[in-house]
Amino acid sequence: MNRNLLYVAALLLLLVSSCKKDGFTYKMYEPAVADVDSIYLSATDKMMIADGQASLQFIVEVFRLVKLPSGKDSMEKIDYRELPEGSLKIIEERSNKEVGLTYSTATIPYDTVKFHAEIGTVKSSTKAVALRAKPVLPQKLYVDVIFHVWELNTAHPTYDVSSYQPVTFEMLQAAIRNMNMAINNQLSRSPNGASANIEFRLATKNQNGAVMIQPGFNKIIYSDNIKVNPLNSTFAFGDYTTYINNNKASTIWKPKEFLNIHVLPYGSNNSMGTVHPAKQLAPQPGQDPIPGIAGTAANEDDFTLDYANAVCGVPRTLFFPGFERKIEIFQFVGNFYSLYVPQYRANIQFSDYCYDTREFNGSDTKNFQYVFKIGMDNEKYVADNVMDDNRYPTLQNSITLDQVNRMRSVMTRCPGRMNSKTQ
């Protein structure tokens, strides 16, 4: 055995000693300014608020023409950051000034600003962005939130003490904190980002006026007693909603005073079974009808008191988002106040009744894979809206001015959703 090992070692030594270094010197391609044949520039939005905070974060892509072995031409992407410093210039054409990779302004020197990118003699096409006046901060509103958190009875046969994670009070606090920061424009420099000037807060008293030990936290312990069909082996979504509707006094606190959020044991890929408001109060002088809400309410009590119409349903999995991710629930809260996920819909004005949101084509699978989306105008932008579907990559840290106006209108004019206070 030892002799065989010696033979193998000697053979390997012979092979290694007979190898010679390759005389060819490898060199990675280093792009040069002269190689640039095409430049793509996206201003990332068609309009921007001139408040000094909102900004355009330009997306630039650079290409060179390459002849393939087949004889066909192909455009190959170049990393412009590897070009000599200062090669890339982004110019605002109205002022003829170089602006860099971001642009913001607190004034409106022109109604529209125009940009192009250039490297050497090659220029991109011009992109125009309309400037909007800085909005007046609206009156501060407060919303008292009660989380009805459904937790499985520890005595239930399916309860697994090794894997079951309860929703904690600290999680509710984090959800409220993250939501407030996003809708009050504290996290981003999005081109059309605005402050809703709304503070969601955990209710300190219950609907009877008693002080809550843990503000905003109403735990519902459930077991087989909620099943519509006791013979079913698993819980159905209808079991939860039927129980809520049959026990409204304890499960739907006064909708004119509270935002009722039911945290149900489902994932965010499920529809939560709630609907947009059906009616709005008749517009007062100076008010426009809220688009997409067809009915006219007789008064503030003209709404259906049930789960679908008076409750915000939130999937339980959102409170366990994973490593280095935040608890984000506003997509479902916004839906309660008749905001929509900004995705293209042919049957809805501007796809979500808000002109200043960016919508992407849901039939393009790439739009579900990356934080960079391709809009319906074929322009690239960064997904950062609080109403973005959180199953897919998004920063989810900004709300637009049109969304703010729609949300506040629903909050003050749609029965069943009129739960805001001024103090």
Side-chain angles (χ1 to χ4, degrees), residues 3-275:
R3 181 176 298 177
N4 290 337
L5 290 175
L6 289 173
Y7 287 151
V8 172
L11 179 61
L12 288 175
L13 182 62
L14 178 64
L15 291 173
V16 170
S17 63
S18 66
C19 291
K20 294 182 179 179
K21 290 185 178 179
D22 195 333
F24 184 79
T25 302
Y26 290 97
K27 185 178 181 180
M28 297 294 291
Y29 167 72
E30 295 179 359
V33 170
D35 296 337
V36 176
D37 292 297
S38 176
I39 304 173
Y40 166 77
L41 173 72
S42 171
T44 68
D45 218 317
K46 56 185 176 289
M47 60 178 67
M48 184 187 77
I49 296 172
D51 63 357
Q53 177 178 343
S55 66
L56 303 173
Q57 309 283 334
F58 297 107
I59 297 174
V60 180
E61 295 178 348
V62 179
F63 302 87
R64 65 170 179 151
L65 186 65
V66 177
K67 183 74 71 174
L68 300 176
S70 63
K72 295 183 179 180
D73 293 334
S74 175
M75 297 302 288
E76 180 181 275
K77 187 178 290 188
I78 295 175
D79 187 347
Y80 66 84
R81 295 170 297 182
E82 296 181 3
L83 294 171
E85 186 176 353
S87 298
L88 172 65
K89 295 179 174 63
I90 300 177
I91 307 297
E92 197 291 297
E93 297 179 351
R94 303 291 292 272
S95 62
N96 197 33
K97 292 182 178 179
E98 186 176 348
V99 298
L101 287 169
T102 63
Y103 174 82
S104 65
T105 179
T107 62
I108 305 182
Y110 318 100
D111 58 351
T112 302
V113 284
K114 300 180 179 181
F115 305 92
H116 73 262
E118 59 184 55
I119 298 175
T121 59
V122 180
K123 295 182 180 180
S124 71
S125 59
T126 296
K127 300 298 170 66
V129 178
L131 294 179
R132 308 172 74 184
K134 178 181 178 179
V136 176
L137 190 67
Q139 180 185 19
K140 181 74 174 281
L141 296 178
Y142 301 87
V143 178
D144 289 323
V145 181
I146 177 65
F147 285 95
H148 304 279
V149 180
W150 290 69
E151 298 286 11
L152 183 63
N153 193 314
T154 57
H156 194 272
T158 62
Y159 181 87
D160 184 353
V161 68
S162 65
S163 61
Y164 191 90
Q165 293 179 284
V167 174
T168 66
F169 178 63
E170 290 73 23
M171 291 176 181
L172 305 184
Q173 290 178 308
I176 291 290
R177 180 172 60 252
N178 295 339
M179 183 164 59
N180 282 334
M181 292 178 69
I183 68 168
N184 291 306
N185 206 24
Q186 297 174 7
L187 299 175
S188 83
R189 296 175 61 85
S190 193
N192 292 286
S195 172
N197 207 20
I198 296 170
E199 180 182 337
F200 290 92
R201 60 192 183 188
L202 295 171
T204 58
K205 297 181 180 180
N206 66 18
Q207 60 181 337
N208 298 318
V211 174
M212 301 188 69
I213 297 174
Q214 289 186 309
F217 195 175
N218 178 42
K219 188 180 295 186
I220 300 176
I221 305 298
Y222 71 97
S223 191
D224 290 338
N225 63 298
I226 73 164
K227 289 180 178 178
V228 176
N229 183 352
L231 299 179
N232 285 344
S233 59
T234 59
F235 294 97
F237 188 79
D239 293 333
Y240 304 101
T241 57
T242 299
Y243 183 89
I244 292 169
N245 291 336
N246 290 341
N247 297 273
K248 298 174 187 176
S250 60
T251 61
I252 306 178
W253 293 11
K254 302 172 182 176
K256 292 171 67 174
E257 297 181 22
F258 299 93
L259 169 60
N260 286 269
I261 298 180
H262 274 266
V263 181
L264 297 173
Y266 282 88
S268 58
N269 59 323
N270 288 276
S271 169
M272 297 309 293
T274 57
V275 297

Side-chain angles (χ1 to χ4, degrees), residues 407-422:
M407 176 182 175
R408 289 179 63 99
S409 294
V410 169
M411 187 177 284
T412 55
R413 293 164 52 189
C414 290
R417 322 291 161 122
M418 298 171 63
N419 48 25
S420 64
K421 305 174 177 68
T422 57

Side-chain angles (χ1 to χ4, degrees), residues 355-416:
Y355 182 66
D356 61 359
T357 54
R358 296 300 310 267
E359 290 83 28
F360 64 84
N361 190 339
S363 63
D364 188 339
T365 58
K366 292 191 296 294
N367 282 324
F368 297 105
Q369 298 172 7
Y370 310 105
V371 71
F372 289 98
K373 310 296 183 186
I374 301 175
M376 296 304 298
D377 55 2
N378 287 321
E379 295 289 350
K380 294 185 177 182
Y381 68 97
V382 177
D384 64 358
N385 196 274
V386 287
M387 287 301 297
D388 286 335
D389 191 327
N390 56 19
R391 292 175 297 171
Y392 310 110
T394 170
L395 301 180
Q396 213 167 27
N397 61 6
S398 175
I399 188 170
T400 71
L401 179 58
D402 288 1
Q403 287 177 313
V404 166
N405 292 335
R406 179 176 177 83
M407 176 182 175
R408 289 179 63 99
S409 294
V410 169
M411 187 177 284
T412 55
R413 293 164 52 189
C414 290

